[in-house]
Amino acid sequence: MLRKNILLLFFVITVISVNNNYAQNIPMKFHNGSFGSIYLSIPGVMNPNLSPKSNSGVSLDAGQVVYFFPNGKRGKKEVLFVVGPTWKKDTILQIDEIVRERKKSLGY
């Protein structure tokens, strides 16, 4: 009896954790419409270099911070955005435009 209860509890915990992971993971596409490379840093995920006129698919959790390098890949990194829990899956983010606006707000 105890063995069945332990297995049932393990099963329930596993299902809950799997559902929480999938509920948080949001697939999206990063689009770089500019003629220059964009250097990003996504802790725990990757450090992508978005090539000019390219798309890159990525799945991120709500709350994930995405950084960029306003002065090129050797400069200080700044927060570009934080993935929100209400973001829709398969959203296409115009990263070049987001970078341009973020640079303005930071005074670059």
Side-chain angles (χ1 to χ4, degrees):
M1 179 72 171
L2 180 60
R3 190 175 187 188
K4 283 184 179 180
N5 286 342
I6 291 172
L7 287 174
L8 180 60
L9 181 61
F10 178 76
F11 176 76
V12 169
I13 290 171
T14 302
V15 168
I16 289 171
S17 68
V18 167
N19 283 339
N20 283 342
N21 286 340
Y22 282 108
Q24 293 284 321
N25 199 275
I26 305 166
M28 61 190 77
K29 189 176 287 187
F30 288 179
H31 174 73
N32 178 6
S34 72
F35 288 105
S37 293
I38 299 174
Y39 303 99
L40 301 176
S41 175
I42 307 172
V45 179
M46 63 179 175
N47 294 326
N49 171 18
L50 297 179
S51 298
K53 300 293 183 182
S54 69
N55 294 309
S56 180
V58 65
S59 291
L60 301 175
D61 291 336
Q64 176 71 58
V65 179
V66 176
Y67 297 93
F68 77 113
F69 298 87
N71 293 321
K73 65 181 177 180
R74 295 183 197 181
K76 177 184 170 192
K77 70 181 178 182
E78 298 282 353
V79 173
L80 182 59
F81 61 84
V82 178
V83 178
T86 59
W87 287 23
K88 306 265 188 237
K89 73 177 203 166
D90 299 327
T91 298
I92 299 173
L93 298 173
Q94 305 295 329
I95 298 297
D96 57 314
E97 294 174 11
I98 297 170
V99 165
R100 189 176 315 113
E101 291 301 315
R102 188 70 176 116
K103 279 183 172 182
K104 276 187 205 176
S105 72
L106 292 169
Y108 282 94

